[in-house]
Each structure stands twice: as C-alpha cells, then as structure tokens.
Amino acid sequence: MRIETKYHGEKELQEADILTFANGIPGFEGEKKFVLLAFPDNTVFYALQSVTTPELCFVVTDPFSFFLDYHVKIDDATIETLKIEKEEDVTLLSVLTVQDPFEKTTANLQAPVIINKKNQTGRQLILTGTPYETRHALFPAGVAKGE
C-alpha cells in the first residue's frame, strides 16, 4: 500500500507496519490507522503519520531519552484494550509541539501514546493525578546551545 505523508513524501507500507488506534487519538477520533516513520539521520524523533490523511502527522519521541525520572503507570483499561501481556511489548511515546527554533520544542508528558508492538495497537493515555503537563521543555534552558 502506498500513502502520502507530511514529511516523508510517498511511502510504501506493509499491512504489518500499520498501527491501529481503535478509538482514534483525542481530537482525531476518526483517525484509526497510523504508521511510525523514522526521520532521516536521527534515532530520537519519529513521525506518527495518519495512513488516510497526509497532512495529519504528530512528531513523537521516546520521553525517557529526555526525562530520566518520567514514570507512567498504564491503567488496567489500557492494558486490557491493547492486550498487553509483557512490559517489553510496550513502546511509550510523547507527542511534541515543535517550535521555531527547535530548542523551544515541548513534550506532552500528560498524554503519552502507548503502543503494543506485538499486535500493533495503540492508544493515547490521559494521565490524571500526576505532576505532568502537556508542555514540558524538551531542552532545559542553555542545554541546546551548549552553555
């Protein structure tokens, strides 16, 4: 299957590459199929691209690469919905709000994207009762400039 993407042009996908979000993503409930695409020359940032809407793409990252003390407890409903059996089957991602300049980019730690790699299902989990917010600075002041 070939799709048009926001950042990668036209891409060829296999059915096994497609992630299914049964309830969509909050604000985009009608979007059920996504694919995770790596950006060239990096191992940290990915595009969570809608399979059906080329202009709908979220830039995401592994939050543990930037927030060493980040801790998420996946609720039982999510574990059941995604049929998670083992922790190793889970990929957890944070949606970024990309800013110009890039050093001002923020991460949404309050609503991580949970993916079960084993069955290619996903869900955005809204955390409650945590100190996490929707806009945490990805790069602490001065770090991005090497200060």
Side-chain angles (χ1 to χ4, degrees), residues 17-21 34-36 48 60 74 78 82 84 86-93 112-125:
D17 297 329
I18 297 174
L19 302 169
T20 301
F21 287 73
F34 289 84
V35 64
L36 200 57
L48 184 61
V60 296
I74 301 174
T78 299
L82 299 181
I84 296 170
K86 298 183 294 199
E87 188 175 332
E88 303 82 55
D89 295 337
V90 174
T91 296
L92 191 135
L93 300 168
V113 174
I114 313 296
I115 297 171
N116 181 345
K117 298 179 286 191
K118 193 171 178 183
N119 63 14
Q120 294 294 89
T121 58
R123 179 182 204 181
Q124 188 170 24
L125 176 64

Side-chain angles (χ1 to χ4, degrees), residues 5-6 9 15 41 45 52 54 56 70 77 88 107 119-120 147:
T5 70
K6 183 172 183 173
E15 194 64 36
D41 302 322
F45 303 108
T52 55
L56 181 59
Y70 186 51
E88 303 82 55
N119 63 14
Q120 294 294 89
E147 296 174 0

